[in-house]
Amino acid sequence: SITTLHSFCLDAIRRYYPLIGLDPGFRIANETEAELLRMDVLDSIFEENYLQAEESESDFLRLVDRFGGERGDEPLYALVLQLYNFGHSHPWPDVWLRETAAAFQVADAAELGRTEWVSSIASVVVLALEGAGSLLQQALDLTRLPMGPDHYAATLEDDLALVRNLTAHTRELPWERWYEVFAEVGFGKLKSRRGDDFDKGLQEQVKEIRDMAKSIISDMTDQLFVRSADDFAAELRE
């Protein structure tokens, strides 16, 4: 018998329904019915947990406080369904869920630094820094053109040295030190100069390219380095 997997399973269930205690008159639910059934089950699970949560320090109430919405639990419902659906794309959903939850139990920032998460972050950070460095080098090259704004060159050289130091620190220092390194980042001010012995168009182009590089560093700092590694580890455990 050559069939799809779903047809094979349906045939097996219909043939052996007495062994699993299933009503032989069952039918396959459509997507709308399945969604309504899932929401009914979620309502029951939440109601049961609310009844059992006698004090504000219960695990369930802390979960609702952190992931629920201001006017209802819909955001947490959505998160539970997302985890359920994603988990059931794995052969052993319960095993996947336990292993995933266990990955969040890091003892401290040093242990967090040895996880795949930080390895992935490190790759992203280095790539972004290399991109910023490439932009700054491009701006510096423009200052050296005929009629280029060479009065910007010294500041751009300092910027480039800063980015290269950040890249080296990211590759060499442990994760928990990155917060300190990025907290000290600061770009100098471009020097002004009067006169018409340089191309104003090149000047604006250099400023725009430099601003792009600065935005890369600034955005990355805001996303990843406004909190210490200890803060990240604590939030992960929570």
Side-chain angles (χ1 to χ4, degrees), residues 5 28 30 34 40 44 57 83 88 103 121 127-128 161 173 176 188 200 214-215 217 219 222 234:
L5 175 63
I28 303 299
N30 61 42
D40 284 344
S44 299
E57 292 302 312
L83 281 170
H88 278 74
I121 289 173
L127 189 63
L173 293 178
E176 53 269 29
K200 297 296 196 315
K214 288 172 61 179
S215 292
I217 306 297
D219 292 346
D222 289 343

Coordinates of all heavy atoms in Angstrom, one line a residue, residues 5 28 30 34 40 44 57 83 88 103 121 127-128 161 173 176 188 200 214-215 217 219 222 234:
L5 N 2.0 9.6 4.6 CA 2.1 9.3 6.0 C 0.8 9.4 6.8 O 0.4 8.6 7.6 CB 3.2 10.1 6.7 CG 3.4 9.9 8.2 CD1 3.8 8.5 8.5 CD2 4.4 10.9 8.7
I28 N -11.6 13.6 11.2 CA -10.5 14.5 11.3 C -11.0 15.9 11.4 O -11.8 16.4 10.6 CB -9.6 14.4 10.1 CG1 -9.1 13.0 9.9 CG2 -8.4 15.4 10.2 CD1 -8.3 12.5 11.1
N30 N -11.1 19.9 11.1 CA -10.5 20.9 10.2 C -9.7 21.9 11.0 O -9.7 21.9 12.3 CB -11.6 21.6 9.4 CG -12.6 22.4 10.2 OD1 -12.2 23.1 11.2 ND2 -13.9 22.3 9.8
A34 N -9.7 22.6 15.1 CA -8.5 22.3 15.8 C -8.0 23.5 16.6 O -7.6 23.4 17.8 CB -7.4 21.8 14.9
D40 N -9.6 26.1 23.8 CA -10.4 25.6 24.9 C -9.4 24.9 26.0 O -9.6 25.1 27.2 CB -11.4 24.5 24.5 CG -12.6 25.2 23.8 OD1 -12.8 26.4 24.0 OD2 -13.4 24.5 23.1
S44 N -8.6 26.1 29.9 CA -8.7 25.2 31.0 C -7.4 25.1 31.8 O -7.4 25.1 33.1 CB -9.1 23.8 30.5 OG -10.4 23.8 29.9
E57 N 4.0 34.6 44.7 CA 5.4 34.1 44.4 C 5.3 32.8 43.7 O 6.3 32.1 43.5 CB 6.2 34.0 45.6 CG 6.6 35.3 46.3 CD 7.3 36.2 45.3 OE1 8.3 35.8 44.6 OE2 6.9 37.4 45.1
L83 N 5.5 27.6 21.2 CA 6.4 26.6 21.7 C 5.8 25.2 21.4 O 6.5 24.3 21.0 CB 6.5 26.7 23.2 CG 7.5 27.8 23.7 CD1 7.4 28.0 25.2 CD2 8.9 27.4 23.3
H88 N 6.5 20.3 18.4 CA 5.9 19.2 17.8 C 6.4 19.0 16.3 O 6.0 18.1 15.6 CB 4.4 19.2 17.8 CG 3.8 18.7 19.1 ND1 3.9 19.4 20.2 CD2 3.3 17.5 19.4 CE1 3.4 18.7 21.2 NE2 3.0 17.6 20.8
A103 N 18.9 24.6 28.9 CA 20.0 25.4 28.4 C 19.9 26.8 29.0 O 20.9 27.5 28.9 CB 19.8 25.5 26.8
I121 N 26.6 35.5 19.0 CA 26.7 36.9 19.2 C 28.1 37.4 18.8 O 28.2 38.5 18.2 CB 26.4 37.3 20.7 CG1 24.9 37.1 21.0 CG2 26.8 38.8 21.0 CD1 24.5 37.3 22.4
L127 N 31.4 40.7 12.8 CA 31.0 41.1 11.4 C 30.6 42.5 11.3 O 31.0 43.2 10.4 CB 29.9 40.1 11.0 CG 29.5 40.2 9.5 CD1 30.6 39.8 8.6 CD2 28.2 39.4 9.2
A128 N 29.8 43.0 12.3 CA 29.4 44.4 12.3 C 30.6 45.3 12.5 O 30.6 46.4 11.8 CB 28.4 44.6 13.5
A161 N 41.2 53.2 14.4 CA 41.9 52.5 15.4 C 41.0 52.0 16.5 O 41.2 50.9 17.1 CB 43.0 53.4 16.0
L173 N 39.1 38.9 24.4 CA 38.7 39.0 25.8 C 37.5 38.1 26.1 O 36.7 37.8 25.1 CB 38.3 40.4 26.2 CG 39.4 41.4 26.2 CD1 38.9 42.8 26.5 CD2 40.5 41.0 27.3
E176 N 32.4 38.3 29.4 CA 32.0 39.2 30.5 C 32.7 40.5 30.5 O 32.3 41.5 31.2 CB 32.1 38.5 31.9 CG 33.4 37.9 32.1 CD 33.5 36.4 31.7 OE1 32.8 36.1 30.7 OE2 34.3 35.7 32.3
G188 N 35.4 61.0 18.4 CA 35.8 62.4 18.4 C 35.0 63.2 17.5 O 34.2 62.7 16.6
K200 N 33.3 70.4 -1.2 CA 32.2 70.3 -0.2 C 31.4 69.0 -0.4 O 30.9 68.4 0.6 CB 31.3 71.5 -0.3 CG 32.0 72.8 0.0 CD 32.5 72.9 1.4 CE 32.8 74.3 1.9 NZ 33.6 75.1 1.0
K214 N 29.3 55.0 12.6 CA 29.0 55.2 14.0 C 27.6 54.6 14.4 O 27.5 54.1 15.5 CB 28.9 56.8 14.2 CG 30.3 57.4 14.2 CD 30.2 58.9 14.3 CE 29.5 59.5 15.5 NZ 29.4 60.9 15.5
S215 N 26.6 54.6 13.5 CA 25.3 54.1 13.8 C 25.4 52.6 14.0 O 24.7 52.0 14.9 CB 24.4 54.3 12.6 OG 24.0 55.7 12.6
I217 N 28.0 50.9 15.3 CA 28.5 50.7 16.7 C 27.5 51.1 17.7 O 27.3 50.4 18.7 CB 29.8 51.6 16.9 CG1 30.8 51.3 15.8 CG2 30.4 51.3 18.2 CD1 31.3 49.9 15.7
D219 N 24.1 51.3 17.5 CA 22.9 50.4 17.5 C 23.3 49.0 18.2 O 22.5 48.5 19.0 CB 22.4 50.1 16.1 CG 21.8 51.3 15.5 OD1 21.5 52.3 16.3 OD2 21.6 51.3 14.3
D222 N 23.6 49.6 22.0 CA 22.3 49.7 22.6 C 21.6 48.3 22.7 O 20.9 48.1 23.7 CB 21.4 50.6 21.8 CG 21.9 52.1 21.9 OD1 22.6 52.4 22.8 OD2 21.4 52.9 21.1
A234 N 21.5 36.6 34.7 CA 20.4 36.6 35.7 C 19.1 36.6 34.9 O 18.1 35.8 35.3 CB 20.5 37.8 36.6

